[in-house]
Amino acid sequence: MSDSDALGLWLSSIGKESVQAFQDDFSGLTGMSLCLVHLDGAPALVASNRSLLCFHIEGRNGVRCQMQHRQFLARMMETGALVVDSCYAGLTCFACPVFRGKEIAGAFFGGMVSVDPPDSTVALDVARYEVKSMSRLDLEKALRLLRSTLSLLKGVRIASGPTIDETGRELMDAYGLSSREIMVIGQIVRGKSNLDIAEALFISEKTVKTHITNILKKTPAKNRYDLALLCKKYFDA
């Protein structure tokens, strides 16, 4: 499974809106920028509190920034642990792994702060760009909170219920279903009501109904009972 698929399934299992809200809240609390990214550095969510200085630097030398981001992520994947370092502009940034089971599915990439005492390599006017300044102790506390939160989610199973095996991937390919629609089907197979599904996936009942309508259009099933019979073999308990 590609890292893109793994991260997409992780997002679906937690709820994309919930992860975005956590990311925004963490960033607002700490003052650091934060973005869930794929292992190639591509963003999976809208970046929270994106640094104006980074925006300025990337506009002038985006290729160098992307290369360094990928180096950070490569080190993180090699060690399987949080990586904290300074970028070429002297700002402190980090890459924190996101696990789906034992597999690294993506990372929270962020920071872009000036840590006291400031790095002597910072050559740009950090005050002009309102760069967040924080002590190393505060940085360590914030990162400990991030790692602890992700640790709680490390063992979360898809849709708090059945998991998708390789045959389940065939189901997605056969009918052009999205990973989110597979989550809904997994709940239907277990006999869950629309309200139960909404609570499990952190979405509204209206959204559940919309997903089911779209699923029935894509598959030969005429109703949710037919759908459960059609898809039961694709799931393991």
Side-chain angles (χ1 to χ4, degrees):
M1 182 184 297
S2 70
D3 66 90
S4 179
D5 289 338
L7 188 60
L9 289 172
W10 182 85
L11 268 175
S12 294
S13 66
I14 307 301
K16 187 173 182 179
E17 297 83 2
S18 297
V19 179
Q20 181 73 61
F22 164 76
Q23 179 183 285
D24 293 343
D25 288 343
F26 180 88
S27 185
L29 178 67
T30 63
M32 295 190 288
S33 64
L34 191 66
C35 186
L36 180 67
V37 301
H38 296 281
L39 296 180
D40 62 359
L45 295 175
V46 177
S48 302
N49 196 25
R50 188 161 184 259
S51 168
L52 293 176
L53 179 55
C54 287
F55 183 82
H56 172 75
I57 294 174
E58 289 173 4
R60 298 167 55 186
N61 202 349
V63 173
R64 185 175 180 183
C65 289
Q66 291 176 8
M67 288 180 60
Q68 191 161 51
H69 288 179
R70 288 171 181 165
Q71 289 172 355
F72 271 58
L73 292 169
R75 286 170 52 196
M76 180 203 73
M77 286 185 281
E78 182 179 351
T79 62
L82 173 75
V83 170
V84 183
D85 207 338
S86 296
C87 70
Y88 73 88
L91 300 181
T92 298
C93 47
F94 62 83
C96 186
V98 170
F99 285 89
R100 181 173 176 269
K102 296 181 179 180
E103 175 186 9
I104 297 180
F108 274 107
F109 192 93
M112 286 67 176
V113 294
S114 177
V115 176
D116 295 329
D119 194 308
S120 60
T121 63
V122 178
L124 299 173
D125 187 355
V126 295
R128 175 184 175 188
Y129 293 100
E130 300 180 347
V131 173
K132 168 74 174 179
S133 180
M134 63 194 310
S135 68
R136 189 160 297 279
L137 178 60
D138 285 340
L139 173 65
E140 292 173 354
K141 287 180 178 179
L143 295 180
R144 189 158 56 246
L145 173 61
L146 179 60
R147 283 183 295 182
S148 297
T149 303
L150 293 176
S151 175
L152 292 174
L153 301 176
K154 187 175 180 180
V156 170
R157 300 181 73 195
I158 294 175
S160 301
T163 58
I164 301 173
D165 58 16
E166 288 306 312
T167 311
R169 303 297 305 174
E170 295 177 12
L171 173 61
M172 294 177 71
D173 295 339
Y175 300 111
L177 298 167
S178 68
S179 59
R180 195 58 158 176
E181 289 167 343
I182 291 292
M183 302 301 105
V184 173
I185 293 174
Q187 295 290 304
I188 292 175
V189 168
R190 298 176 68 214
K192 298 298 183 179
S193 67
N194 287 355
L195 178 59
D196 291 335
I197 297 172
E199 291 177 348
L201 300 184
F202 304 100
I203 56 179
S204 68
E205 284 189 78
K206 182 179 179 180
T207 301
V208 172
K209 292 177 181 178
T210 298
H211 281 311
I212 294 175
T213 297
N214 291 335
I215 292 167
L216 293 178
K217 288 179 179 178
K218 294 179 180 180
T219 66
K222 297 179 180 179
N223 51 52
R224 62 193 300 143
Y225 178 75
D226 285 347
L227 186 63
L229 291 177
L230 174 69
C231 301
K232 184 175 179 60
K233 65 180 180 179
Y234 293 102
F235 293 85
D236 53 41

